[in-house]
Each structure stands twice: as C-alpha cells, then as structure tokens.
Amino acid sequence: MAEDLVLDTAIRDWVLIPLSVVMVLIGILRYFVSKLMRSFQTPDPKIVKEGHFLFCRQVIVRARNLRAAANFITPKSFRSRRVYFSNEENGLLFVPKGQAQNLQAQMFSDPNMAMDMMKKNLSMIIPQTLTFAWVNFFFSGFVAAKIPFPLTQRFRSMLQNGIDLSTVDVSYVSSRSWYFLNLFGLRGLFSLILGEENATDDTQRMMQMSGFGFDPSKSLSAEKDGLDIVQHEWALPKFEHRAEAVLKKLVS
Amino acid sequence: MVSKTEETQLNRLENQVDNGGGGAWEYLCLVRKLKVRRSEKVLKHGLSILNDPKKRSALGPEEWTLYEQVAIAAMDCQCLDVAKDCIKVLMKKFPESKRVGRLNGMLLEAKGSWAEAEKAYSSLLEDSPLDQVIHKRRISMAKAQGNISEAIELLNKYLEIFMADHEAWRELAELHVSLQMYKQAAFCYEELILSQPTVPLYHLAYADVLYTLGGLENLQTAQKYYASTIDLTGGKNTRALFGICLCTSAIAQVSKGRNKEDKESPELQSLAATALEKDYKQRAADKLDLLTRALRSLKN
C-alpha cells in the first residue's frame, strides 16, 4: 500500500529542526557540566590502584616482547624467563583464580569508585530520559518524517509508535525515531564542535566502563597462555649463514 | 634513537641558527622533542629569546616550557645563577608545582649538595611515587657520587615496576659492565635484544660481554651474535668482524685437545679476515701491515 503522503512543511519547521537544535544544546550543556564536575573532583588517592595498573601494563609489554622476539635469545635464557613469568607460585603473569573475581567485586564495593560510576551514569541517563519524555509528550501522534528506503513490517512497532493507523507505510515514522537518529548521529557533530574529548560519547563510555575492571587479570592470563604456547626456535644459527653470505658479497 | 632524517634536520637548523639566521625557536623545539643534549647551544639561543621581551611574549604559554629547558641546560653548563633565575620565575608562576620542585632538586644536585637534593626528591616521591623522572634523578645522583652499587640497587627497584623502559635496562647493563658483573650485564642485554631485536648495537654489546665471560658455550654464542651483528649492519661493522676472528681463535684454543666439533661455518673467519683487510686497505692503508700480522698470529 504505497500511497504518497504529503507531509506538511510545518512539520519540518516545528518538529525536526527544533528537536535537533534542542539535542545539540543539551549535549553542549552536558559537556560543560561534566567539565565543571570534573574540576570539582579532587584527584582521588587511588594511587595504589593506579600503581598496580601501571605495573600490570608494563608486565604485559615485557611479556609481549618476550613472545615476539623469543627466537633471538638463547634457549636457556628464554626458558628461564618463561618460568619467571608463568611460574605457578610467584610468576608475574600468574593470577590465582580467586583474585581475578575479587578485583571486579572490589571495584563495585569501593565507595569512591561506585560514586564515580554513578555520577557518570547519571550525567548520561538523566538528560536522555528527560529529552525522551519531552519528545513523547509533545511530539507524538503524527507522522514526522519519511525514511527514503523501504522497510519491512517488523519495524512498525519500533518506528511508528505514536501513529495508531496500521495501514500507513512503515517508511513514515514518528518523531521518536527522529530522536533516536539524532542521539546516535550527533556524535560526529559534537566531536567537531567540542573537540575530541566530550562527555556525549555515550557508547564509548559504556565500552570503557566494562573494560576498566577486567583490564589487568584478563590480559595477564591471556599473555600467560600465549607465552606457554611459544615454541622456541633459536634463530641465531641462521644468522651465521646469512652473515657468511653478506661477507661473501662484500668481499667479492 | 634519533633517525637519520631527524639528525640532518637538527644539524641544518643548528647551522642556520648559529650563523645568525632565524629559527631559534624551531631549533629549541626540535631539541626538546628528540631529547638531544646540546646544552650550550640551548643555553645561548634560549637566553637570547628569553631576554628579549618582545620575542618572549610572542611565545605565549610556551614561555614556561622554554624556561624549564633553559634552566636544565644552564645546570648542565654549570651556569647556576642563570638556572636559579629561571627557576625563580617558574616558582612565582607555578607555586605548588611538582615539575618546579623537580627543577629545584636538580639545582641542588648541580650545586653538589647531595643530602638536600636527596631530601627534596624523597619528599616529592612521597606525593607521587610513580614519577619516573624523579626515580631516575635519584639513580643518577648515586652514580654521580660514585656509589655504583647503590645506583644498581635503586635501578633494580625502579625496573621492578617500570620493566618496559629499555633505556633503563641499557643503563643497568653499562653499570654492571663497569663493575665487571658480566653475567648480570648479559641478562640486561638480553632484555634489550628482546625489546628491540633489530638494533645491531645490542647484539654487539651482548657478544662482547659473552666473549669476556669466556667458556666454550659462551664463545660459541658470542660468535653467533657477532654474525648477527654483521648481518644487521651489512658487514660494515669493524668490531663485529674482529669479534668473529677473535672468537674463532679463542674457540680453537679452548677446544684444543678435545674432539673438534664440526664447525658450522668454517668460512666465516676467513671471510671476516678478508673483509677486514679490504676495509683497512680502503680506509687506513698504513695500518694494513699491523692488521695482517695480527690476523696471522690469531690463526696460529
């Protein structure tokens, strides 16, 4: 049933553009508020944690170097280093099972950390919720825009929420979908206006949050497994032959 | 390590600035980026910028970085009053700064008041125990006072935390060599080879240390590493060529009387000798005689 609905230009003037403008303004406001909040926050005495992370990162770099260049050192030294790293009792990369879980639990129970995460969450969720409610209240019950490509019927419930007619083509969407489009699309605009670091990058922040707690123990055990697999094949004898060839060419 | 293009660029700028052309600020920025030690020039040109109020205000916020750079260069050249003035200016602008505190510590070091400098550094470390530069300053203080074993101890502690810092490993290797602790030096060089396997310098140093340690196994390993140095430098490294000749003769001496293990590369020594002779003929023909005699004595 592809009828061509003619949409009033007033919709464009009074719905689409104001909605985008409002979202941009809210994003800018959020950025400044987060900057203010960050400047109020005194640097937490999380130095011990930071020291531990730094140490883990250095261990990982060293273990990675060992894996990459293992064939350049003598078999004996490689083996002694491998033991040093993956030793069951006090190897650097060895993280006992209990401790791995602990780290995560510790993260969440530490009051400072929890406050931090909550604050970040709030600054993300509240504006989103408010704007969504506002859109729903004011801009529902009519068709806002037409998507240029055809869609299947499954998208009807997602995109046509306020519109109670079931015969309207799915390409005609309500303003809620315009809101979501702006939510994800304005990220690029914000990085242009506000510079690289802006608090509006929600998806990035969500990824960061999940990666933060696991960083040390998971990568340490990953490195340990990688190191255990390595087969040492001493490359130096090959170099002797290569040197011979080089010298032969030089001398002749 | 500075690459070749960077080096030529630096030299070009240096010539330009020395001969009165402009570009002092770019030169100073490049020196800072490459972490090269050209303290006299930095001092001269930096001061010329700082003493001229027009040029100074043209720098804007970079002015303070320049003050820091000039202060360090002045300390290196022992112009302590210049350094003190620069630090005073910085202290007025950034009263509670750790960076300025570090400069103060360095000034005390330059004056030679070791105990006070040590106190200053320890108090700075209490606030930020993860500051790499302060750790390194303490180590270099111990080294400057001649207390090499303490320097080694501090450096070991530093490396327990910051084990990916290859310059620190290099420093530790050199300290060990200066105390003739060759086994430990060999370990450090192995670390360096692991982190940067294609730098011939480390292979060469490792081979030297192994050769010094002696013993059949070490000598054979040393020979292999000299060979890898030759490979990495395209045969141009004279020291590695000599190393091969010496190693072969040393191995022959050590395994005299034992059943000769089949040598993997018997030609290597003769090739190295020939390459050496060719090189000497080109570059130092008058010493060629010495060389041939030395090589002949090695063969016996």
Side-chain angles (χ1 to χ4, degrees):
Chain A
M1 289 253 214
E3 324 147 330
D4 266 348
L5 286 179
V6 176
L7 294 174
D8 198 351
T9 47
I11 298 183
R12 182 194 66 209
D13 293 341
W14 293 103
V15 174
L16 300 182
I17 296 186
L19 193 50
S20 304
V21 167
V22 165
M23 289 188 77
V24 170
L25 289 177
I26 289 191
I28 297 182
L29 188 69
R30 237 195 322 171
Y31 169 67
F32 283 121
V33 166
S34 73
K35 254 207 344 198
L36 259 174
M37 287 224 291
R38 221 177 298 165
S39 65
F40 275 164
Q41 230 178 27
T42 51
D44 282 319
K46 289 191 260 161
I47 294 189
V48 172
K49 267 272 158 57
E50 196 184 307
H52 185 65
F53 282 153
L54 188 68
F55 171 68
C56 289
R57 234 168 292 163
Q58 302 262 327
V59 171
I60 290 173
V61 168
R62 192 173 169 199
R64 218 170 276 165
N65 283 337
L66 179 62
R67 252 199 304 163
N71 294 331
F72 281 94
I73 53 174
T74 56
K76 200 167 55 163
S77 20
F78 174 73
R79 256 172 283 149
S80 62
R81 283 187 165 81
R82 182 155 63 178
V83 164
Y84 176 60
F85 276 115
S86 357
N87 191 8
E88 288 291 301
E89 291 142 33
N90 52 7
L92 287 182
L93 291 177
F94 184 63
V95 178
K97 282 266 170 33
Q99 206 183 59
Q101 297 292 31
N102 256 342
L103 210 57
Q104 188 191 5
Q106 221 176 41
M107 284 257 143
F108 288 136
S109 61
D110 187 9
N112 272 341
M113 282 279 199
M115 270 300 291
D116 235 3
M117 289 213 280
M118 231 180 55
K119 257 189 266 181
K120 287 201 195 129
N121 268 332
L122 280 180
S123 81
M124 206 167 47
I125 290 188
I126 287 197
Q128 270 188 27
T129 328
L130 285 177
T131 322
F132 190 54
W134 178 69
V135 166
N136 267 340
F137 184 62
F138 282 109
F139 298 115
S140 60
F142 59 89
V143 170
K146 180 176 188 292
I147 299 187
F149 45 84
L151 290 172
T152 62
Q153 298 297 318
R154 309 286 279 164
F155 290 99
R156 190 180 287 269
S157 60
M158 181 163 63
L159 299 174
Q160 283 195 342
N161 231 296
I163 308 168
D164 297 325
L165 297 173
S166 55
T167 53
V168 175
D169 209 346
V170 191
S171 305
Y172 293 99
V173 298
S174 68
S175 23
R176 199 190 280 194
S177 40
W178 179 244
Y179 165 73
F180 279 118
L181 191 74
N182 274 306
L183 187 65
F184 294 118
L186 283 174
R187 224 190 315 161
L189 189 67
F190 282 134
S191 62
L192 214 59
I193 308 179
L194 303 172
E196 281 315 314
E197 198 216 291
N198 51 53
T200 55
D201 214 348
D202 300 336
T203 46
Q204 232 185 42
R205 198 116 55 78
M206 285 196 275
M207 287 197 295
Q208 237 182 31
M209 277 206 316
S210 53
F212 191 40
F214 299 165
D215 184 40
S217 42
K218 262 208 185 148
S219 12
L220 283 183
S221 28
E223 283 298 325
K224 175 169 179 300
D225 293 332
L227 200 54
D228 284 336
I229 301 178
V230 172
Q231 294 275 24
H232 184 260
E233 197 192 296
W234 202 23
L236 264 298
K238 198 175 35 159
F239 274 104
E240 263 193 305
H241 295 299
R242 294 226 310 239
E244 245 183 68
V246 164
L247 280 182
K248 260 195 218 154
K249 212 169 39 164
L250 199 65
V251 164
S252 62
Chain B
M1 302 215 182
V2 181
S3 74
K4 230 187 174 91
T5 42
E6 288 166 343
E7 193 181 334
T8 40
Q9 190 185 14
L10 186 67
N11 289 332
R12 186 177 55 85
L13 271 175
E14 201 172 295
N15 281 330
Q16 182 186 348
V17 179
D18 276 339
N19 297 331
W25 176 239
E26 282 97 34
Y27 175 65
L28 292 170
C29 286
L30 191 58
V31 167
R32 201 172 344 128
K33 188 173 86 152
L34 298 176
K35 298 203 190 150
V36 191
R37 196 172 180 178
R38 306 272 166 111
S39 306
E40 279 179 9
K41 302 226 188 281
V42 168
L43 187 59
K44 190 166 78 173
H45 300 302
L47 275 183
S48 73
I49 295 188
L50 287 178
N51 287 333
D52 183 357
K54 206 165 37 148
K55 279 197 219 162
R56 197 172 56 201
S57 52
L59 292 177
E62 306 270 328
E63 179 185 351
W64 312 112
T65 343
L66 185 60
Y67 268 116
E68 188 185 17
Q69 195 179 4
V70 169
I72 297 181
M75 283 190 263
D76 215 10
C77 302
Q78 273 290 317
C79 305
L80 293 179
D81 351 303
V82 174
K84 218 187 328 204
D85 291 332
C86 293
I87 297 183
K88 227 187 304 204
V89 172
L90 281 171
M91 270 210 300
K92 212 164 37 170
K93 172 79 183 173
F94 304 106
E96 288 288 322
S97 160
K98 268 185 234 128
R99 247 166 111 170
V100 183
R102 213 158 56 195
L103 282 175
N104 266 323
M106 282 168 80
L107 185 61
L108 288 168
E109 239 188 287
K111 280 201 233 164
S113 13
W114 305 115
E116 294 180 20
E118 174 70 39
K119 244 193 316 206
Y121 285 140
S122 340
S123 70
L124 281 170
L125 270 181
E126 268 172 25
D127 295 328
S128 48
L130 294 177
D131 192 336
Q132 291 189 351
V133 181
I134 299 190
H135 275 119
K136 289 188 191 175
R137 289 272 20 118
R138 275 177 70 200
I139 296 168
S140 40
M141 248 189 0
K143 191 173 164 194
Q145 290 174 274
N147 196 345
I148 308 258
S149 35
E150 185 180 330
I152 289 186
E153 199 185 299
L154 286 172
L155 192 47
N156 271 323
K157 266 206 286 244
Y158 169 81
L159 277 169
E160 262 171 44
I161 310 178
F162 299 101
M163 51 176 75
D165 186 351
H166 61 266
E167 288 177 0
W169 280 111
R170 192 166 164 197
E171 184 66 29
L172 185 60
E174 285 174 14
L175 286 177
H176 278 312
V177 166
S178 73
L179 285 185
Q180 298 183 334
M181 300 157 72
Y182 293 120
K183 272 228 219 44
Q184 288 89 330
F187 181 81
C188 299
Y189 280 124
E190 279 166 9
E191 285 293 323
L192 285 170
I193 294 182
L194 279 178
S195 62
Q196 293 176 314
T198 50
V199 172
L201 181 65
Y202 303 143
H203 289 252
L204 187 61
Y206 186 48
D208 280 342
V209 167
L210 284 175
Y211 176 75
T212 319
L213 274 174
L216 183 59
E217 201 181 312
N218 284 333
L219 286 171
Q220 286 173 327
T221 323
Q223 187 173 27
K224 299 203 166 62
Y225 277 99
Y226 279 126
S228 73
T229 316
I230 293 182
D231 183 37
L232 288 169
T233 55
K236 302 234 174 64
N237 194 323
T238 323
R239 201 159 155 174
L241 292 168
F242 269 120
I244 296 262
C245 303
L246 287 171
C247 268
T248 332
S249 78
I251 291 178
Q253 270 195 351
V254 167
S255 57
K256 214 189 298 200
R258 294 196 217 161
N259 13 341
K260 267 238 177 79
E261 307 173 359
D262 48 330
K263 280 211 278 219
E264 291 157 0
S265 41
E267 299 190 348
L268 199 56
Q269 195 209 11
S270 43
L271 278 174
T274 331
L276 270 174
E277 283 175 359
K278 185 165 167 202
D279 195 25
Y280 265 70
K281 223 186 292 191
Q282 272 184 350
R283 295 202 284 175
D286 45 339
K287 304 218 172 78
L288 187 58
D289 216 20
L290 275 173
L291 175 70
T292 26
R293 259 184 285 152
L295 287 177
R296 216 176 309 141
S297 70
L298 275 181
K299 282 212 192 91
N300 301 341

